[in-house]
Amino acid sequence: VNLILLHAAEIGEDGVTELTGARAVHIATVLKPEPGQELRIGRIDGPHGTGTVVQVDEDRVLLRCRFDASAPPRPAVDLLLALPRPKVMRRLWSQITALGVGQVILTNAEQVERDYFGTHWLDAPVYTSLMLEGLQQARDTLLPAVSVHRRLKVLIEDELDALCPEGIRVVAQPGHDGTFFSVLAASPGDRMLVAVGPEGGWTDFELSLLQRHRFHTVGMGTRTLRSDTATIALLTLAHEALR
Amino acid sequence: VNLILLHAAEIGEDGVTELTGARAVHIATVLKPEPGQELRIGRIDGPHGTGTVVQVDEDRVLLRCRFDASAPPRPAVDLLLALPRPKVMRRLWSQITALGVGQVILTNAEQVERDYFGTHWLDAPVYTSLMLEGLQQARDTLLPAVSVHRRLKVLIEDELDALCPEGIRVVAQPGHDGTFFSVLAASPGDRMLVAVGPEGGWTDFELSLLQRHRFHTVGMGTRTLRSDTATIALLTLAHEALR
């Protein structure tokens, strides 16, 4: 944990927060601060700040909180992801949040198995807690917006413009020659939505649907990657292209 | 599994191989080929080829093998990695092999805990089997060379030139401004060795040791990533820069 994240409701009017549970144990047993020491804190969906240690017990920590005037900027990359199998989705939540995504749009696709949508890794309390791990790792405070869509065609044709009005759109397809850098050179911008398909790629129908809705096609060499490896790699390239 | 990998010793003089165990079960229950059908195969550390199905039983498959004239090229990126904690190292073996590495050089560093070196994920039979998973995923046949080094200074000063004579050397340090693309623009080349440190980065001493031995420094933004996420991201950027 590189940052202690707090909910707004946990902070008293006097600016003092009383932590119990996992965060308190982490502070007491790993960070082991003296009273008066300052810890990096953040308010979820709000600004960074510092927490001055008032008191540390084994499982209870009092911090006096002071926050910056404004929240950090939202990450410049959004992710549209064909839902991978549950085990892979579980691993991805914290890693995509650590890499930085403004928004996560999960969708069905022809190569996605229907029963993947039944997983508890799509329950908001479950994935929120995994995303908080990623934020604490990367020292960010902004939880990505998450939405789950059962019909790709409806999502792309009717919903995406409202969900994601800004930014260059990019779709990754295995074996394609395009690069993030060439797309950005041709269509400059400061936000990017990256669509990552199932392991074997999007079907021809899906790719052409995306291309008709302003998605530029990119590839990443000829090696077939597991969905989580591919997603991490593609988010990295999008961030680097925007850097 | 996107490729069936075979050891040279498993292939008879008549070009026929008899598979039992996990590969046979995968073929019989997932691929379910008819006799006469061709499967993608590869000889470990050798060429790709096709295996014509002769017979399929529940747990035994006969293939007639035909191989290309030459092996695929070695991946153009080598990895020098400060040994991460065992759980992370376990996850990395297949993913770095899938992304493509010619060589894996594992090293100690000040922020590496000594007891990480005792993990069974550093036993050759264990990591070879994980690397084979990554090769089968990415349809590659070449197992990376692996070496483990207990002393960074000895490695960099006395051993690295012999281990890794060719290629641009790059060291990743959190928060640094340099990019893979700017390094490659200034020092063109077709191979790259990427040094990835512990989660918090290399110490000043380590960074300056690496810089004195031809390593160019790059960064990847300000977010602190878990070692496995960072390693995947950095290998991706190295491959993309060389593409």
Side-chain angles (χ1 to χ4, degrees):
Chain A
V1 176
N2 298 312
L3 178 74
I4 312 285
L5 281 174
L6 309 168
H7 293 274
E10 293 179 304
I11 304 157
E13 281 185 24
D14 56 356
V16 173
T17 186
E18 177 185 336
L19 298 179
T20 55
R23 287 169 301 177
V25 171
H26 177 79
I27 293 172
T29 62
V30 180
L31 305 180
K32 299 178 190 164
E34 298 295 322
Q37 198 172 320
E38 297 192 332
L39 304 179
R40 288 170 193 261
I41 62 172
R43 201 167 68 215
I44 294 168
D45 289 327
H48 285 99
T50 51
T52 307
V53 176
V54 178
Q55 191 183 330
V56 181
D57 301 322
E58 243 171 71
D59 52 0
R60 179 173 162 280
V61 172
L62 290 185
L63 300 177
R64 183 173 307 280
C65 306
R66 213 176 48 241
F67 290 98
D68 299 348
S70 59
R74 186 161 58 112
V77 177
D78 298 312
L79 175 64
L80 191 166
L81 177 64
L83 188 63
R85 63 199 161 88
K87 195 175 150 188
V88 169
M89 192 65 236
R90 185 252 175 276
R91 277 197 293 250
L92 272 176
W93 283 117
S94 65
Q95 293 191 89
I96 61 181
T97 313
L99 284 162
V101 284
Q103 182 171 182
V104 181
I105 302 170
L106 296 169
T107 181
N108 201 358
E110 196 168 311
Q111 301 295 324
V112 170
E113 291 182 31
R114 294 266 152 169
D115 60 3
Y116 291 176
F117 284 88
T119 175
H120 74 293
W121 304 118
L122 293 189
D123 296 347
V126 175
Y127 67 67
T128 301
S129 133
L130 295 168
M131 292 199 302
L132 287 171
E133 278 178 26
L135 291 180
Q136 295 186 131
Q137 169 71 42
R139 294 203 183 101
D140 193 1
T141 63
L142 306 184
L143 275 172
V146 174
S147 58
V148 180
H149 304 264
R150 297 292 193 116
R151 295 171 65 196
L152 179 67
K153 192 162 177 289
V154 173
L155 166 65
I156 301 302
E157 291 183 345
D158 304 334
E159 298 167 347
L160 192 61
D161 286 342
L163 271 173
C164 209
E166 314 159 78
I168 316 292
R169 296 176 176 180
V170 165
V171 53
Q173 182 72 340
H176 198 278
D177 276 345
T179 72
F180 284 84
F181 298 86
S182 56
V183 166
L184 213 58
S187 313
D190 52 12
R191 289 198 67 80
M192 204 181 258
L193 169 65
V194 183
V196 181
E199 188 180 302
W202 303 97
T203 65
D204 290 346
F205 171 82
E206 290 165 347
L207 187 62
S208 111
L209 173 71
L210 290 161
Q211 287 167 335
R212 280 198 312 277
H213 289 81
R214 302 200 284 113
F215 282 84
H216 303 268
T217 314
V218 301
M220 210 178 44
T222 56
R223 304 174 79 94
T224 306
L225 301 174
R226 227 167 56 191
S227 291
D228 52 339
T229 316
T231 304
I232 294 166
L234 291 161
L235 290 177
T236 300
L237 293 174
H239 276 290
E240 186 76 4
L242 289 168
R243 201 172 135 186
Chain B
V1 175
N2 298 312
L3 178 75
I4 312 286
L5 280 174
L6 309 167
H7 292 274
E10 293 179 302
I11 304 158
E13 281 185 24
D14 56 357
V16 173
T17 188
E18 177 185 335
L19 298 179
T20 55
R23 288 168 302 176
V25 171
H26 177 78
I27 294 171
T29 61
V30 179
L31 305 180
K32 299 178 191 167
E34 298 295 321
Q37 198 172 321
E38 296 192 332
L39 304 179
R40 287 170 193 263
I41 62 172
R43 200 167 69 215
I44 293 168
D45 288 327
H48 286 100
T50 51
T52 307
V53 176
V54 177
Q55 194 183 328
V56 183
D57 301 322
E58 245 171 70
D59 54 0
R60 179 173 162 279
V61 171
L62 289 185
L63 299 177
R64 184 174 305 281
C65 306
R66 214 175 50 240
F67 290 98
D68 299 348
S70 58
R74 186 162 57 112
V77 177
D78 298 312
L79 175 65
L80 192 166
L81 177 64
L83 189 62
R85 63 198 158 90
K87 195 173 152 190
V88 169
M89 192 64 236
R90 185 251 174 276
R91 279 197 292 251
L92 270 176
W93 283 116
S94 65
Q95 293 191 90
I96 60 181
T97 313
L99 284 162
V101 283
Q103 185 172 180
V104 181
I105 302 170
L106 295 170
T107 181
N108 202 357
E110 198 168 309
Q111 301 295 325
V112 169
E113 291 183 29
R114 293 266 152 168
D115 60 2
Y116 292 176
F117 284 88
T119 174
H120 74 293
W121 304 118
L122 293 188
D123 296 346
V126 175
Y127 66 67
T128 301
S129 133
L130 295 169
M131 292 200 302
L132 287 172
E133 278 178 25
L135 292 180
Q136 295 186 131
Q137 169 72 42
R139 295 205 182 100
D140 193 359
T141 63
L142 305 184
L143 275 171
V146 174
S147 58
V148 180
H149 304 262
R150 297 291 192 116
R151 296 171 63 194
L152 179 68
K153 191 160 177 288
V154 173
L155 167 65
I156 301 302
E157 291 184 344
D158 304 335
E159 298 168 345
L160 192 61
D161 286 341
L163 271 173
C164 209
E166 314 159 77
I168 316 294
R169 295 176 177 179
V170 166
V171 53
Q173 182 73 341
H176 198 279
D177 276 345
T179 72
F180 285 84
F181 298 86
S182 56
V183 167
L184 213 58
S187 312
D190 52 14
R191 291 199 66 79
M192 205 181 257
L193 169 64
V194 182
V196 181
E199 187 179 302
W202 303 97
T203 64
D204 291 346
F205 172 83
E206 290 166 346
L207 187 62
S208 113
L209 173 71
L210 290 161
Q211 287 168 334
R212 282 199 311 277
H213 288 83
R214 301 202 283 113
F215 283 83
H216 303 267
T217 313
V218 300
M220 210 178 46
T222 56
R223 304 174 78 93
T224 306
L225 301 175
R226 227 169 54 193
S227 291
D228 53 338
T229 315
T231 304
I232 294 167
L234 291 161
L235 289 177
T236 300
L237 292 174
H239 276 290
E240 187 76 5
L242 288 168
R243 203 171 134 187

